[in-house]
Amino acid sequence: MRRTLLILVGAAVVLAALGVPGLRAGASRTRRVAAPQTGPNPTSASPVVGMATDPSTGGYWEVTADGAVFAFGAPFHGSMGGTPLNQPIVGMAATPSGGGYWLVAADGGLFAFGDAGFHGSMGGTPLDQPIVGISADPVTGGYWEVAADGGLFAFDAPFLGSMGGKPLDQPVVGMAASPDGGGYREVAADGGLFAFGDAAFHGSMGGTPLARPVVGIDDDPAGTGYREVGADGGLFSFGAPFFGSMGGTPLNRAVVGMASTPDGAGYRLVGADGGIYAFGDAPYLGSVDVLPLAGLTVAIDPGHDGGNGGDPAIIDQPVDGGGFAEPCDTAGTSTPDGYTEHAFNFDVATRAETLLRAEGATVVLTRTTDTGVGPCVDARAAVANLAHAAAAISIHADGGPPDGRGYTVIEPAPVVSATSDNTAIVGPSAQLGAFVDAAFGSDTGLVPSTYDGTGGTDVRDDLGGLNLSTVPKVLIECANMQNADDAALTESPGWRQQAAQGITDGIEQFLLAGLRT
Ligand code: ZN
């Protein structure tokens, strides 16, 4: 059970008496009418990470991890879209006037637009934990940055305490300032809430089991309460009215934030896919269409390489395959006509790369030409591991018995060695394999292997590329190059495109299943 010290100060009363701008901004301000967006929704290849309400118009902005800002019923004041960033953007906050906004990155770097002033940032300062959110001080024109460990950094705004240095059950995921700027609250992934200054503690989800973690918080501009929002769209009101939520409704991608309307009589939730879920008096004014695989990395390993056959000194050298020695690589097979497996693998891989990029994925390849030697299988596994790929696949074609046909998706068996442990990815890899098996068969029309595995799937413990993986990974033998019918397929560019489509569809279905709430 989380308890929080409530530190009462007189600031709220004083500021209210003085009529300080920003207090209950929407209630005391002339509002322009927010116009809905006209035309089709804009698209983004980067996931949405946050949003902010324009206190002047009641419209809103969405911000993506790459720093692009999309305005709906609110003026566009600029963005970091198209500018390379050291770290992804993780949040945004509007100025009290709505005439500008700040974007904050995971490294604390801060970008100010419109009438938002730059008052310093944690950018360039080493942090124990990444920055996860930002709030504007409605009184001073400054702001606070908050980190995952609860550390809070004030810039031209008062420091009123933080959870930095104190043990937390779960990381802090966001913050919200009081409407009067006299306090703020930090919220953790388990719903635990920590109030500072004049920000009242009205309860929290801390200690209550949640289906999905809390991802954000917003104050109620009309009162002293606040709302926590979960990744599944569940919304929890404390001392503030409840207008509805997406809890219990399946979502394509997780909710990542929320923002109340200026008068507190409504709010919007925003998903990583750009979806806006509006409640109370909050109109829907448009949203970003985020590409389905935005923010996800896929690793593709085209098996073998064009120079392998001519350089046995390198490719025969033993490497660790996960507790046993295995050759660095092999030359691969070919069709009776001489069409090589390495060329096939590379062609299918680059076709799949193009298809996956079109869906918004970041794609890393273990080799980018078909004329080199290697890399060794352990290095190929490391490419996907270092990229923290959400899914990885090695693309091959088999040299099986001439009378055998079909494709096989090879999934990892659990292998633990002194240098490796793939047990954590065996289950997810089996799910990936099932999606790839079904999609590949459907898209190519090829039969599952008639000589290897069962129903197009096999499980093996003797492949270093799978044993050494720390990300969900499978290997596909797309066809049997020693069989005349399969060989003809592999030599057909049209069929290779179908093979790439099958691989892409299987990976995409696996990834999308993992994103749904
Ligand atoms: Zn091969």
Side-chain angles (χ1 to χ4, degrees):
M1 189 64 193
R2 293 182 180 277
R3 305 302 303 174
T4 302
L5 275 179
L6 177 59
I7 307 166
L8 281 169
V9 297
V13 176
V14 173
L15 295 176
L18 294 173
V20 169
L23 180 66
R24 299 187 186 184
S28 60
R29 191 175 301 281
T30 302
R31 285 176 59 187
R32 288 175 275 137
V33 177
Q37 164 203 349
T38 55
N41 283 345
T43 60
S44 171
S46 179
V48 167
V49 294
M51 73 176 299
T53 297
D54 179 351
S56 176
T57 66
Y60 51 92
W61 299 280
E62 293 185 64
V63 62
T64 49
D66 65 358
V69 173
F70 300 89
F72 303 97
F76 177 76
H77 298 298
S79 83
M80 295 304 288
T83 305
L85 298 170
N86 292 328
Q87 291 279 312
I89 297 296
V90 295
M92 75 178 296
T95 62
S97 72
Y101 41 72
W102 296 276
L103 311 183
V104 68
D107 62 359
L110 186 126
F111 310 98
F113 300 94
D115 68 3
F118 181 82
H119 302 289
S121 81
M122 295 306 288
T125 305
L127 293 168
D128 291 338
Q129 292 281 315
I131 296 294
V132 295
I134 182 171
S135 274
D137 182 335
V139 175
T140 65
Y143 44 84
W144 297 278
E145 296 183 1
V146 65
D149 60 1
L152 188 135
F153 310 98
F155 300 95
D156 198 18
F159 179 79
L160 304 168
S162 82
M163 293 304 289
K166 304 188 178 81
L168 293 169
D169 292 339
Q170 292 279 314
V172 164
V173 294
M175 73 171 295
S178 304
D180 64 8
Y184 45 74
R185 302 176 183 91
E186 297 182 0
V187 68
D190 62 358
L193 186 125
F194 313 99
F196 302 93
D198 72 356
F201 180 81
H202 294 294
S204 81
M205 294 308 287
T208 304
L210 295 170
R212 294 291 298 268
V214 164
V215 295
I217 183 174
D218 201 16
D219 62 276
D220 175 5
T224 62
Y226 47 87
R227 303 177 183 99
E228 297 181 1
V229 62
D232 60 358
L235 189 128
F236 313 101
S237 288
F238 301 95
F242 176 81
F243 298 114
S245 83
M246 295 307 286
T249 304
L251 302 174
N252 286 335
R253 287 188 82 155
V255 163
V256 295
M258 70 171 297
S260 300
T261 56
D263 63 6
Y267 45 77
R268 299 177 185 93
L269 316 183
V270 64
D273 61 0
I276 291 281
Y277 311 103
F279 299 93
D281 71 354
Y284 171 80
L285 301 172
S287 67
V288 185
D289 288 342
V290 173
L291 294 176
L293 300 183
L296 299 174
T297 297
V298 176
I300 301 179
D301 171 33
H304 316 288
D305 204 340
N308 282 9
D311 207 333
I314 290 181
I315 68 159
D316 289 349
Q317 64 178 309
V319 299
D320 175 34
F324 61 92
E326 170 176 21
C328 161
D329 205 349
T330 57
T333 187
S334 65
T335 68
D337 294 340
Y339 180 57
T340 61
E341 185 199 343
H342 63 78
F344 170 85
N345 297 342
F346 189 69
D347 185 69
V348 173
T350 51
R351 290 172 188 269
E353 174 194 18
T354 299
L355 293 169
L356 285 161
R357 289 215 164 116
E359 295 297 293
T362 300
V363 179
V364 294
L365 291 165
T366 57
R367 60 182 172 101
T368 55
T369 71
D370 193 38
T371 55
V373 179
C376 301
V377 291
D378 55 342
R380 292 173 189 250
V383 167
N385 295 345
L386 290 171
H388 301 290
I393 191 164
S394 287
I395 297 175
H396 287 256
D398 202 13
D403 61 347
R405 293 204 63 186
Y407 67 91
T408 315
V409 178
I410 301 171
E411 301 164 2
V415 175
V416 179
S417 75
T419 54
S420 66
D421 180 351
N422 73 350
T423 52
I425 59 100
V426 166
S429 298
Q431 294 169 8
L432 171 62
F435 280 113
V436 172
D437 183 353
F440 193 85
S442 173
D443 286 352
T444 65
L446 186 59
V447 293
S449 177
T450 60
Y451 61 92
D452 188 17
T454 306
T457 297
D458 199 3
V459 179
R460 285 172 61 173
D461 63 3
D462 61 338
L463 296 169
L466 300 181
N467 297 344
L468 300 172
S469 186
T470 59
V471 300
K473 185 175 183 183
V474 295
L475 183 155
I476 184 167
E477 301 280 11
C478 292
N480 177 13
M481 289 185 124
Q482 296 299 306
N483 174 277
D485 293 326
D486 277 19
L489 293 177
T490 63
E491 292 171 11
S492 157
W495 191 84
R496 294 199 294 271
Q497 185 66 26
Q498 293 175 18
Q501 189 69 56
I503 289 166
T504 298
D505 288 345
I507 291 172
E508 179 164 11
Q509 287 159 17
F510 166 75
L511 294 175
L512 294 181
L515 292 174
R516 288 190 196 103
T517 67

